[in-house]
């Protein structure tokens, strides 16, 4: 039986960069898009032979802002993927989009090209909160993008939201989530705001701006879990909720630490036991691809201990948790033989529980997720 492989394609272009974003992106660089597309196509073509014997069952086009890259370029990429890789007939193919660049023409074209899942960056229903982090859209554009997606016959829609934004209160967060529910998405990703070093938001906080604190974010999180459960959305990962049958297959590749290949500027691949990043500058990436060299940095060979640690803390992000049988099959030893002390501490603290052969976080453990994960890292 052929092994499964996730494929990620990175589009680094944005019209403008949001204040909280630390992803690798290139704001307002439209003149470089065609050169980058050509390099991506070459990168896909040269990488594909290395995946012989693998079946690609998820494709994720992320960024950056793929909708800003344009429908024709996305269509060309997906055509190349299908020509060069063994893509399963029922593969989940996701494309990210921002409301201001996701009109019906774009959405119809990418859907006809194979996109069957759309992830829209809503972030908030409050125009003031969107402006506070320099998002380019308002909430009306969110509603227009969702309507356009439905007219384009995209039947798997995910909305991204952020809680803990500047100026946000519990009341305004509740209004944003209710507004998102009214749009009837199949999936919701609700992330707590993190202030990443070096971002404009980090500078604002350093200069004294006050954001919702950890306790407020925890209250927002717990209310979100309860409200979405009432609305029929299953929480299947700390930040992700789906109607039955609509959980993200591609993101679960990461959380299960299954194998995935990434093409594009700065993107990270993981094919056990190796992990590597592609070149982080446009000039290096283009030059290496043009010279018929894979544009990747020296692979990191993870030790068995490092692989075991990542397997545990990534799987614990999912509500189902870590399958003990899978761990033993992968590493040839039971998890209790490797992490006995960490397991004992986490269970005694009420952070972790065992059910049906799975180790999973309790509600208390999910609130303290990063604290729990650190218990499994030497």
């Amino acid at each position: 039986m052929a092994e499964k492989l996730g494929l990620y394609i990175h589009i680094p272009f944005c019209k403008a960069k949001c204040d909280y974003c630390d992803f690798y992106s290139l704001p307002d660089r439209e003149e470089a898009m065609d050169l980058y597309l050509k390099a991506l196509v070459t990168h896909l073509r040269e990488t594909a032979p290395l995946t012989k014997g693998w079946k690609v069952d998820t494709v994720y086009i992320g960024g950056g802002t793929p909708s800003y890259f344009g429908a024709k370029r996305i269509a060309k990429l997906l055509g190349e993927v299908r020509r060069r890789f063994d893509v399963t007939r029922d593969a989940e193919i996701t494309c990210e989009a921002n409301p201001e660049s996701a009109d019906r023409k774009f959405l119809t074209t990418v859907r006809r090209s194979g996109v069957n899942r759309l992830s829209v960056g809503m972030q908030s229903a409050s125009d003031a909160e969107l402006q506070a982090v320099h998002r380019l859209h308002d909430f009306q554009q969110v509603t227009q993008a969702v309507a356009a997606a439905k007219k384009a016959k995209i039947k798997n829609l995910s909305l991204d939201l952020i809680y803990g934004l500047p100026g946000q209160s519990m009341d305004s967060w509740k209004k944003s989530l209710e507004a998102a529910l009214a749009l009837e998405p199949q999936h919701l990703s609700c992330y707590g705001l993190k202030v990443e070093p070096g971002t404009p938001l980090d500078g604002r906080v350093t200069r004294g701006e006050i954001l919702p604190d950890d306790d407020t974010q925890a209250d927002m999180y717990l209310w979100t879990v309860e409200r979405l459960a009432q609305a029929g959305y299953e929480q299947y990962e700390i930040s992700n909720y789906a109607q039955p049958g609509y959980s993200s297959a591609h993101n679960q590749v990461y959380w299960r630490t299954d194998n995935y290949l990434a093409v594009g500027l700065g993107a990270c691949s993981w094919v056990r036991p190796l992990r590597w990043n592609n070149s982080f500058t446009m000039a290096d990436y283009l030059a290496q691809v043009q010279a018929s060299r894979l544009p990747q940095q020296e692979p990191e060979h993870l030790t068995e201990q490092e692989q075991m640690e990542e397997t545990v803390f990534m799987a614990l992000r999912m509500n189902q948790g870590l399958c003990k049988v899978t761990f033993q099959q992968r590493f040839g030893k039971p998890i209790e033989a490797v992490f006995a002390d960490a397991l004992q501490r986490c269970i005694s603290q009420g952070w972790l529980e065992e059910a049906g052969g799975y180790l999973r976080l309790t509600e208390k453990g999910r609130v303290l997720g990063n604290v729990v994960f650190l218990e499994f890292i030497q």
Side-chain angles (χ1 to χ4, degrees), residues 201-212:
L201 186 60
D202 181 40
R204 288 163 55 178
V205 170
T206 300
R207 293 190 294 273
E209 184 168 348
I210 305 297
L211 301 179

Side-chain angles (χ1 to χ4, degrees), residues 79-366:
E80 194 67 25
V81 167
R82 290 201 178 277
R83 276 191 294 274
R84 304 291 174 177
F85 295 82
D86 187 1
V87 181
T88 62
R89 295 188 64 178
D90 60 347
E92 177 193 270
I93 302 178
T94 303
C95 183
E96 292 183 345
N98 277 351
E100 72 277 2
S101 52
D103 59 21
R104 185 175 177 181
K105 183 178 179 181
F106 170 86
L107 295 167
T108 299
T109 300
V110 297
R111 195 265 301 163
R112 289 173 177 168
S113 301
V115 170
N116 52 31
R117 183 174 183 272
L118 184 72
S119 179
V120 175
M122 171 179 163
Q123 316 311 0
S124 173
S126 164
D127 289 350
E129 291 170 7
L130 293 170
Q131 291 166 8
V133 289
H134 295 111
R135 296 288 292 178
L136 295 180
H137 68 269
D138 57 24
F139 181 61
Q140 182 179 3
Q141 288 173 296
V142 175
T143 63
Q144 291 169 344
V146 171
K150 292 178 179 179
K151 289 179 180 177
K153 300 181 181 179
I154 293 175
K155 299 178 181 179
N156 188 349
L157 171 69
S158 179
L159 297 177
D160 283 5
L161 290 93
I162 299 176
Y163 55 88
L165 290 168
Q168 192 176 59
S169 64
M170 175 63 87
D171 184 57
S172 68
W173 167 245
K174 289 181 177 180
K175 289 179 179 177
S176 282
L177 193 62
E178 294 295 347
L181 286 172
L183 297 173
E184 301 181 332
Q186 285 70 44
H187 185 281
L188 285 159
S189 296
C190 301
Y191 301 105
L193 180 68
K194 286 183 63 179
V195 180
E196 301 290 353
T199 61
L201 186 60
D202 181 40
R204 288 163 55 178
V205 170
T206 300
R207 293 190 294 273
E209 184 168 348
I210 305 297
L211 301 179
D213 60 21
D214 290 345
D215 287 342
T216 301
Q217 281 205 22
D219 289 342
M220 291 173 170
Y221 167 77
L222 291 171
W223 179 83
T224 300
V225 173
E226 181 179 354
R227 177 67 186 96
L228 290 181
Q230 291 171 355
Y233 291 79
E234 176 189 5
Q235 183 188 26
Y236 68 100
E237 189 267 348
I238 289 177
S239 302
N240 287 272
Y241 310 78
Q243 294 177 348
Y246 288 96
S247 56
S248 168
H250 185 83
N251 286 342
Q252 289 181 76
V253 170
Y254 301 142
W255 301 323
R256 293 193 306 261
T257 55
D258 290 340
N259 295 312
Y260 55 90
L261 183 70
V263 298
L265 193 60
C268 179
S269 298
W270 164 248
V271 180
R272 191 175 297 107
L274 300 179
R275 178 166 55 203
W276 66 91
N277 284 94
N278 297 332
S279 302
F280 278 98
T281 70
M282 181 67 82
D284 285 348
Y285 181 79
L286 295 177
Q288 289 171 328
V289 171
Q290 289 166 2
S292 297
R293 300 200 309 271
L294 291 178
Q296 64 192 46
Q297 299 178 340
E298 187 68 26
E300 174 189 9
H301 191 294
L302 272 68
T303 65
E304 183 179 65
Q305 180 66 31
E306 289 169 331
Q307 292 179 60
M308 290 189 292
E309 291 170 1
E310 291 208 12
T311 295
V312 173
F313 73 73
M314 291 299 286
L316 288 179
R317 293 191 60 88
M318 297 185 291
N319 281 37
Q320 185 181 47
L322 172 71
C323 177
K324 294 172 65 176
V325 171
T326 297
F327 184 94
Q328 183 155 355
Q329 289 174 341
R330 183 175 288 182
F331 299 110
K333 60 192 80 171
I335 187 171
E336 291 86 355
V338 184
F339 296 110
D341 291 343
L343 290 171
Q344 192 278 326
R345 284 194 300 271
C346 291
I347 291 171
S348 66
Q349 290 285 346
W351 298 340
L352 203 61
E353 63 185 5
E354 182 174 349
Y358 284 79
L359 290 165
R360 65 188 187 193
L361 296 179
T362 62
E363 182 178 279
K364 181 180 178 182
R366 286 195 292 274

